[in-house]
Amino acid sequence: MLKAVIFDMDGVIIDSEPQHARAGIDVLKRHGVDIDKNYLEQFIGSSTRKMAEKSISDFSLNITADELLAELERAKKEYAVKEGYIAVPGVKELIIKLYQAGIHMAIASSSSTAEISDVVKSLGIRKYFDKLISSSNVENPKPAPDIFLLTLSKLGVNAKEAIVIEDSDHGVKAAKAAGIACIGYINPNSGNQSLKDADVLLESFEGLSVKFINNTLLRSQGKPLNITSTRRLNIRELSVSDVKDIYPIYKDPNIRKYIDDIDDYLDTEMEKQKAYIKNVYSFYGYGLWGVFSKTTGKLIGRCGIENHVIDGKEEIMLSYLLDSHHWGYGYAVECCEAVLKYAAEELDIKRIVAVIDYDNSRSIKTAQKIGMKCERDIIYNNRECLLYSISL
């Protein structure tokens, strides 16, 4: 259960990296060193002290780390006073939503304690944060986990109850080293950052919900999300462990002939599902889900929606299959209607299509019963098919 969200500050709450880059360039230029922002990208997410120490080493500067650090902090402050702190779009609204939901929040930043305090006061968001933690309070800066471990301790939560929002490679690595789930925010002003280890990537905070963050935490722990239910069925995300139960269904020749991209090896399918959870469920918020009998609790098939390119057009496609032992009882119609309702009400999707083989009479009847209409004949994956659609 989500109890706390830990924010990085620079590049996540404020779009400060361009200011910091100009400050670093100015200070080093005064010491006879010509650099550009590409040199400074290696320090994004780490501490200003680390930048000072490495710059002295790289350019053989005749100055102490403390002296250069003081110059860098003064230059950053001057830019902040002159230009102000610019909030990342949507982040203040997200902070307020989390506060209203009773989620504890902290800032864990490589900036100084004084600068963190200045930022939250300037943006009018100090009251929303339980703790403000600077890397000056720990021995090792990011990518070491020290700052996040300290923040967890100060908040009184464990790693499984928290999530970090970061924009840098150092920050993501520090969060994962601390055992905390991490949302990677792709800030173009933060340079060429590798956020591949984050549990999910975002390009914007606008419209982001508390539910999305909580779902990201659950998925990071391998916990599938419940999607919806019907009179006889539960529909939820498929976990990696579910693959062993659905795999025998795929093996049925009557089903296999209509399914593409199924591997002959179970362990390969399990690895594919692990990637699917991160790259499809987490990124889109939908995908192919498991269909479970309420009576037995057993997995009896799958149903859901995915993005596909059909005849050169991007579409959201409904797919469904059930164990042949459950054919003829109306389960396909029941789960498909539930998925369409969820897509309309929860995802605000307006159009869904289904691609059905000419000879798949059962699926054609299901599509018709749930209100889909045949648009035209198409060739899909080198097979003659029918394109059905419905407006929601």
Side-chain angles (χ1 to χ4, degrees), residues 25-265:
I25 290 168
D26 290 350
V27 169
L28 289 177
K29 191 171 185 178
R30 290 201 294 266
H31 290 275
V33 176
D34 256 336
I35 59 164
D36 59 22
K37 65 179 183 179
N38 293 327
Y39 174 78
L40 298 173
E41 281 183 6
Q42 64 185 299
F43 305 113
I44 292 176
S46 188
S47 66
T48 310
R49 173 170 289 279
K50 185 173 180 181
M51 173 187 166
E53 291 171 346
K54 192 166 191 306
S55 298
I56 290 170
S57 173
D58 287 348
F59 305 112
S60 302
L61 302 181
N62 186 24
I63 188 174
T64 68
D66 285 340
E67 291 169 337
L68 186 57
L69 176 62
E71 287 190 39
L72 289 166
E73 293 292 356
R74 280 197 300 271
K76 286 164 59 178
K77 180 69 174 177
E78 288 168 4
Y79 271 110
V81 170
K82 181 169 61 177
E83 300 176 359
Y85 295 113
I86 302 168
V88 170
V91 75
K92 289 175 68 175
E93 291 78 6
L94 174 61
I95 289 167
I96 293 170
K97 287 178 189 175
L98 290 165
Y99 179 80
Q100 292 172 339
I103 305 299
H104 295 290
M105 285 179 284
I107 291 176
S109 171
S110 298
S111 290
S112 67
T113 302
E115 187 174 3
I116 299 170
S117 296
D118 286 346
V119 168
V120 294
K121 289 175 184 176
S122 174
L123 298 182
I125 57 174
R126 177 61 186 92
K127 69 176 184 179
Y128 301 121
F129 288 94
D130 297 76
K131 301 294 178 181
L132 307 177
I133 310 295
S134 166
S135 63
S136 60
N137 296 314
V138 296
E139 182 176 354
N140 301 301
K142 303 172 188 176
D146 301 30
I147 191 169
F148 290 128
L149 294 174
L150 176 61
T151 304
L152 290 176
S153 175
K154 295 288 186 181
L155 289 173
V157 299
N158 65 53
K160 299 298 183 184
E161 298 169 328
I163 200 161
V164 168
I165 304 179
E166 271 284 356
D167 71 314
S168 73
D169 179 42
H170 286 321
V172 171
K173 286 179 177 175
K176 302 309 286 186
I180 311 174
C182 185
I183 293 173
Y185 170 57
I186 303 170
N187 187 331
N189 289 325
S190 296
N192 185 25
Q193 298 294 315
S194 173
L195 306 177
K196 62 182 178 61
D197 293 328
D199 293 280
V200 66
L201 299 179
L202 294 179
E203 293 182 343
S204 172
F205 292 118
E206 294 179 331
L208 193 64
S209 66
V210 177
K211 181 179 179 181
F212 178 91
I213 295 176
N214 187 61
N215 287 350
T216 300
L217 177 63
L218 292 173
R219 289 192 185 105
S220 75
Q221 297 170 2
K223 298 176 181 177
L225 305 186
N226 292 319
I227 301 302
T228 188
S229 63
T230 68
R231 182 172 61 87
R232 298 180 294 174
L233 304 170
N234 285 319
I235 299 172
R236 67 160 171 81
E237 293 179 350
L238 287 165
S239 67
V240 174
S241 62
D242 289 323
V243 173
K244 68 181 184 303
D245 296 321
I246 201 167
Y247 200 65
I249 301 175
Y250 293 158
K251 289 290 191 179
D252 185 329
N254 293 318
I255 293 174
R256 178 66 181 263
K257 66 180 179 178
Y258 298 123
I259 307 176
D260 300 304
D261 195 31
I262 297 298
D263 198 273
D264 288 329
Y265 298 97

Side-chain angles (χ1 to χ4, degrees), residues 299-324:
L299 179 66
I300 64 170
R302 73 180 195 195
C303 185
I305 51 177
E306 294 182 302
N307 290 17
H308 285 273
V309 176
I310 301 169
D311 272 3
K313 180 181 178 182
E314 292 186 1
E315 299 273 17
I316 297 177
M317 186 168 79
L318 174 70
S319 298
Y320 45 91
L321 66 84
L322 292 172
D323 182 344
S324 58

Side-chain angles (χ1 to χ4, degrees), residues 372-389:
M372 301 189 90
K373 304 296 182 184
C374 185
E375 285 192 0
R376 64 184 184 275
D377 298 352
I378 64 169
I379 300 297
Y380 188 75
N381 288 343
N382 298 316
R383 299 200 303 265
E384 292 183 344
C385 298
L386 298 168
L387 179 67
Y388 276 77
S389 68

Side-chain angles (χ1 to χ4, degrees), residues 253-355:
N254 293 318
I255 293 174
R256 178 66 181 263
K257 66 180 179 178
Y258 298 123
I259 307 176
D260 300 304
D261 195 31
I262 297 298
D263 198 273
D264 288 329
Y265 298 97
L266 177 58
D267 56 349
T268 303
E269 279 299 309
M270 294 178 79
E271 284 300 313
K272 285 163 63 176
Q273 184 61 28
K274 189 182 297 183
Y276 193 88
I277 291 168
K278 180 175 181 178
N279 299 326
V280 179
Y281 287 161
S282 295
F283 188 79
Y284 293 106
Y286 53 81
L288 294 179
W289 300 308
V291 179
F292 296 81
S293 167
K294 281 186 173 179
T295 303
T296 65
K298 291 183 177 179
L299 179 66
I300 64 170
R302 73 180 195 195
C303 185
I305 51 177
E306 294 182 302
N307 290 17
H308 285 273
V309 176
I310 301 169
D311 272 3
K313 180 181 178 182
E314 292 186 1
E315 299 273 17
I316 297 177
M317 186 168 79
L318 174 70
S319 298
Y320 45 91
L321 66 84
L322 292 172
D323 182 344
S324 58
H325 294 101
H326 292 82
W327 290 1
Y329 298 98
Y331 287 115
V333 170
E334 192 171 328
C335 66
C336 286
E337 286 181 339
V339 166
L340 293 180
K341 186 173 186 288
Y342 181 85
E345 295 180 358
E346 298 293 329
L347 304 174
D348 198 30
I349 292 172
K350 303 301 184 186
R351 169 183 163 89
I352 287 180
V353 304
V355 176

